[in-house]
Amino acid sequence: MSKLGNAQDRALELIGELGDGIRKAVPGKAMQWVETGAALGAVRTGTRIAGKFVRRNPVLAGAAIAGAGLLWLAARQRAKKQAAGAPIEGTATRVEAKRGKASSRTRRKPPAAEQTAD
């Protein structure tokens, strides 16, 4: 069992080294083409899956598209208002400043002044 495990580990190491060697040997532009091809393959697969979903659930797809359109419209209108410098509609509350109790805030007269005033 250990010989089989060692063989598998060694095979994985060789595959990794082979992949590194290929990546180093292939010019950068060719690697970019490979990445682009992989991205296009992913887009094709996603499109195929989305097409099946739309065929099976047309109402949900329509609702999702309508919701996305409304979100886009709201974001566009908000951007226009910000660009124009107009305030964005919303709610605000004004907080009025209040003084504390007068007795704790005012200075007391010295005791001598209180006696002469009587």
Side-chain angles (χ1 to χ4, degrees):
M1 188 71 171
S2 65
K3 288 184 180 182
L4 181 61
N6 290 339
Q8 287 177 346
D9 291 340
R10 182 66 184 144
L12 288 173
E13 287 177 23
L14 288 173
I15 290 171
E17 290 175 12
L18 180 64
D20 291 339
I22 290 174
R23 275 189 233 117
K24 290 177 184 175
V26 174
K29 197 68 167 171
M31 198 63 178
Q32 188 178 15
W33 281 102
V34 170
E35 290 171 0
T36 304
L40 288 174
V43 169
R44 283 184 63 198
T45 303
T47 304
R48 198 174 311 131
I49 291 171
K52 287 180 184 178
F53 178 80
V54 169
R55 272 187 248 122
R56 290 180 184 167
N57 305 304
V59 175
L60 289 177
I65 291 170
L70 288 174
L71 286 174
W72 175 77
L73 183 64
R76 191 172 132 205
Q77 286 180 349
R78 182 179 175 130
K80 280 184 180 180
K81 280 188 180 181
Q82 284 180 344
I88 298 172
E89 291 181 22
T91 58
T93 56
R94 183 179 180 118
V95 179
E96 296 292 330
K98 294 182 181 179
R99 291 195 177 261
K101 293 183 180 178
S103 63
S104 64
R105 298 264 180 191
T106 58
R107 293 177 64 183
R108 294 190 71 178
K109 294 181 181 178
E114 287 178 7
Q115 290 174 1
T116 56
D118 283 38

